[in-house]
Amino acid sequence: MIVIRSAQPLEWREIAAIAAGASLELSPEAEARIAAARRLVDEIVTRGIRAYGVNTGVGALCDVVVSQAEQRDLSHNILMSHAVGVGAPLGREETRAIIAAAINNFAHGHSGVRLEVVRTLLALLNADTLPEVPAFGSVGYLSHMAHIALVCVGAGHVRAGGERITGDDALRRLGLEPMTLEAKEGLSLVNGTPCVTGLAALAMARAQRFLDWADVVSAMSFENLGGQLDALDPQSLAFRRSEGLALVGARLRAALSDSAILNESVGRRTQDPLSLRTIPHVHGAARDALKMTAEVVDRELASITDNPIVAGTPEAPRVFSQAHAVGASMALAMDGIAVTMAQVSALAERRLDRLVNPLVSGLPAFLAEIGGTRSGFMIAQYTAASLVAQNRRIAAPASLDGGVTSGLQEDHLCHATPAALKALEIIENSARILGIELLAATQAYDLQPTQLARAPYTDSLRAKVRGVLPIYRDDRPLANDMTFAFRMIADGVPPPLPGPSTRTDGTDDPQSTAAAPATVAAHRCAESANDALAMLPEAHGR
């Protein structure tokens, strides 16, 4: 797949597709805008117009004038001094998403970097020759972008085909030479909100995939526990005004259609526990939140987030040395998604607890075939409870962390990139929790006291798991099964539900480019699942 950055800015779905492996190209119009913005910077330099980071220092040094002869040094030195990231490097998809969002920002035509700089980033991206970017150490965006930009000047390191090489070697393998940065280019390469916006697009894609799985896995638990179908009644759900609620209700009805187990349980209880009857409400609220967040991310991708911004004409250039690089809206949005995913996965753990608890499930204790000598899923539920607690701890809003940097010049910090990173961590934890529920629900089907027919859709999900993993008899480390289920959810998409295809925002759009990240992920799923399966030698042939 090729994504083209044209007159229209990229949307989050396109960034997610590029993160998953699609290539990116610039239209001639986008290249012309980048070149025009560079001409504005050249005029600013020639005329000596005061511009932050062009002919002044940065941060608290913004009033220190830098001569024209020193401006190349300023650009180079900004990269060196801002490359202060620590910790393990970001993953492939995270790095690709950030680079794609940065190129999108430059293509607005208000940054002032030369076209050669953008083409170098494109070459690295499309060759999957990716800078090594430490995950931590930024209160906003500076260190991550600095480590990416290091490679443009032949410094830093990259990962290419599983090999770690220097930035200089990476460029030469691509037929490129290390660059000497011109005025403003060092600052343009490190500032703005591409870092958080790229990560947010990736979080959106993963959250969307997680919610699709959450609906169908919760349907399995609902069926195993004999849930009351009244909780999914469309007339009842319509009393609450929510597109997400209506969509989830429809999805659950489709997944549970023709279930003899549920038909048998009709009227058995006046109402189910909240962990069952609030599935449409909690999952629906999450989808509504995701839709609102998508609007925030797409607005950010359509915005110019440099400091300074260059505009006007070569005859009358203008410089805006203000605060458009501050990502307050993104910080708030990512904090919201973190809490949203934490709540959905906490509900999954509550369903899991009911599946393993014989006092409420009507199933063998802890889903073990033989009690006493076998513990079944007893301790797997501990793992889920631990991950729920971890999510709760890290869901605290990063946007409120505050702090003061740069000698009181930067005395308000919204921590947008850390907010996105913790949202990604919570989504991963949540997929692990849901994977445990998937395994437990599959096991519960095998231990049902009656032979009533499952819904065709949930039966297909059970068969998907059982096609790889046999019933669990405490005969192998359960952690390996959990890894397999996690990879199914994190890397793949659930089988399509009966009925019309819908996007997670509730609109019919089966042919949308929204499917692109999921399609790429689906192709990866088999490989990832096979990797997990390699840890399960006991499972083969059973």
Side-chain angles (χ1 to χ4, degrees), residues 250-507:
R251 287 171 58 81
L252 289 171
R253 290 192 298 273
L256 294 169
S257 178
D258 297 325
S259 168
I261 295 174
L262 292 182
N263 288 338
E264 176 73 16
S265 68
V266 169
R268 189 177 297 167
R269 290 183 294 275
T270 302
Q271 62 176 211
D272 287 319
L274 286 171
S275 58
L276 296 183
R277 60 188 161 98
T278 64
I279 295 170
H281 302 76
V282 174
H283 292 197
R287 289 179 180 275
D288 289 341
L290 202 66
K291 181 178 180 180
M292 291 186 289
T293 303
E295 294 173 359
V296 175
V297 178
D298 281 344
R299 282 200 303 269
E300 196 75 6
L301 286 165
S303 300
I304 297 97
T305 62
D306 286 75
N307 179 28
I309 290 170
V310 295
T313 65
E315 295 74 28
R318 296 200 64 189
V319 180
F320 298 89
S321 299
Q322 299 306 325
H324 291 304
V326 174
S329 61
M330 294 300 299
L332 293 169
M334 287 298 97
D335 278 342
I337 286 299
V339 173
T340 298
M341 296 298 106
Q343 181 168 150
V344 174
S345 58
L347 188 66
E349 186 277 327
R350 289 293 79 211
R351 293 189 301 268
L352 168 65
D353 182 65
R354 298 191 75 83
L355 285 171
V356 303
N357 187 339
L359 300 178
V360 293
S361 70
L363 297 167
F366 308 111
L367 303 177
E369 276 196 314
I370 302 174
T373 62
R374 297 177 183 175
S375 300
F377 282 77
M378 177 194 294
I379 310 304
Q381 187 265 330
Y382 287 26
T383 301
S386 173
L387 290 171
V388 167
Q390 184 179 354
N391 282 351
R392 188 179 300 115
R393 286 190 293 270
I394 62 178
S399 54
L400 292 181
D401 284 346
V404 178
T405 58
S406 195
L408 296 180
Q409 179 68 8
E410 295 171 359
D411 54 357
H412 174 74
L413 306 174
C414 62
H415 298 271
T417 297
L421 287 170
K422 71 182 183 65
L424 287 166
E425 182 180 355
I426 285 175
I427 293 168
E428 179 172 323
N429 288 343
S430 298
R432 293 186 184 279
I433 294 166
L434 197 67
I436 299 172
E437 184 187 8
L438 173 62
L439 294 176
T442 300
Q443 183 91 347
Y445 282 130
D446 294 320
L447 301 178
Q448 285 290 335
T450 67
Q451 298 300 311
L452 293 172
R454 296 174 284 271
Y457 183 84
T458 56
D459 192 49
S460 71
L461 274 179
R462 175 195 170 277
K464 188 177 181 70
V465 176
R466 282 289 174 258
V468 177
L469 302 175
I471 189 170
Y472 186 68
R473 299 185 172 92
D474 288 39
D475 52 349
R476 58 187 183 271
L478 189 50
N480 294 345
D481 292 32
M482 289 158 55
T483 297
F484 176 82
F486 165 67
R487 292 259 63 96
M488 278 184 65
I489 290 168
D491 296 338
V493 293
L497 287 161
S501 179
T502 55
R503 291 198 324 211
T504 56
D505 60 9
T507 59

